[in-house]
Amino acid sequence: FYDNNSIDSLSNVANSHYPHLGTLIWSFFWKISLIDHEYSGRLFFGFIFVISILCLVDLLKTNNVYKFIISILFIFISYDYDIVFSGNQEVLVFSLIGIAMNFIHRLSEKKNINENFYLFLILLVCNLLIWTKQEGGIYAFTLILTLLFFFKLQLKKKIIIFTIYLIFLFLRLFVHKFYNFEMTLNYGYNDFSIYSIINKISFTRIFLILKYFLLAFLKNYLLAIGFLIFILSYMNKNLFFKSFYIYFYAAANFLFIFFIFLLSDGDLLFLLKTSLDRLIYSVSPFIFLLVVDYINSYKKN
């Protein structure tokens, strides 16, 4: 895009199977910027990161002064330079999931909302996730499952929602096939035979993955806060069951991340050291939603 090439020229570059939305946004803002440096494109990542947090804080039932203070706290707690401004796509996934969580929460409130409008916005975010990261399709899928399992929607609407998600997914596959992009999985998934899968499911690999999950939880302030809110909300049964759809979403994504590493054919230790923190960071906006629900519940009481 920056060099005025056509989309089919991407078939000549390495990793053409990789979704292109994040780098397209990067190149777009680099191109229109008055500053002729590539980091002008990355600044948008920081902008949408802040917007996603403001969307979640806006759900708080309090005055603007408290919202401003909490917004600053949320930004400092979740800010990571190596992710937000380095050009990694995880910050876009984080931001898109945060914005989707805003829409889902408004659906759960069921007060003076246009249900179809918010469902439409959630589906648009799911489409953006599919075009942002390879695992974005799964993150979008868990959002769709949360809608289907925990929200009282008409059966017809549920079928339409799932069908549109599948259309978005196959559209991306069609575009990649049409332009002759690579159709491959990343992270070294080479053998999906039953024998290979059984061999990968070993106590040693499971223990190693759980060990790095624990280390990630200890390093990530967001996860520590999320665990604390989980304990506190468990003491309030109404709040716990009200937020159950959030726990489902979190559990589904953590299981997915766990199996990403368990079934990999690559160097497991290397992948855990270089990728696990970023993957967990991607799905962590649900923790802000737990905090919002807890504060609103506490304020109401």
Side-chain angles (χ1 to χ4, degrees), residues 16-191:
S16 61
H17 62 279
Y18 202 86
H20 306 121
L21 179 62
T23 47
L24 178 63
I25 292 172
W26 184 344
S27 61
F28 175 78
F29 284 98
W30 177 12
K31 189 156 190 163
I32 68 171
S33 173
L34 298 175
I35 308 170
D36 189 23
H37 292 285
E38 58 79 23
Y39 61 74
S40 59
R42 280 185 281 158
L43 292 177
F44 180 79
F45 291 5
F47 172 76
I48 195 171
F49 164 73
V50 171
I51 290 296
S52 67
I53 290 178
L54 294 179
C55 285
L56 290 168
V57 173
D58 190 52
L59 297 170
L60 286 169
K61 297 174 181 177
T62 186
N63 62 53
N64 290 331
V65 174
Y66 285 119
K67 285 183 179 180
F68 175 77
I69 294 171
I70 293 172
S71 296
I72 298 298
L73 287 174
F74 278 7
I75 289 170
F76 273 106
I77 289 169
S78 57
Y79 175 77
D80 185 328
Y81 175 81
D82 290 335
I83 294 178
V84 176
F85 287 118
S86 67
N88 284 316
Q89 309 301 295
E90 280 77 14
V91 67
L92 287 182
V93 175
F94 175 99
S95 303
L96 290 170
I97 290 176
I99 291 169
M101 286 288 170
N102 172 284
F103 300 145
I104 288 177
H105 187 276
R106 293 183 189 278
L107 275 178
S108 70
E109 292 292 297
K110 302 176 184 177
K111 295 178 181 178
N112 303 317
I113 64 163
N114 185 333
E115 183 179 271
N116 292 335
F117 174 68
Y118 283 107
L119 290 174
F120 173 72
L121 292 177
I122 293 167
L123 284 168
L124 287 183
V125 172
C126 288
N127 185 42
L128 294 177
L129 285 169
I130 289 170
W131 285 96
T132 303
K133 289 278 287 183
Q134 281 192 289
E135 58 269 24
I138 302 298
Y139 297 148
F141 181 64
T142 53
L143 282 172
I144 296 298
L145 282 185
T146 303
L147 283 176
L148 299 183
F149 289 167
F150 293 94
F151 289 79
K152 294 180 180 178
L153 305 173
Q154 297 174 359
L155 179 60
K156 181 181 177 181
K157 281 188 181 180
K158 290 185 177 183
I159 294 172
I160 292 173
I161 289 169
F162 192 69
T163 302
I164 292 174
Y165 164 76
L166 290 178
I167 290 172
F168 286 155
L169 199 61
F170 284 111
L171 178 62
R172 191 202 139 193
L173 294 175
F174 172 77
V175 169
H176 279 235
K177 182 72 174 177
F178 183 83
Y179 286 106
N180 199 30
F181 299 156
E182 286 182 87
M183 301 294 284
T184 181
L185 287 171
N186 206 353
Y187 303 120
Y189 296 93
N190 305 315
D191 190 352

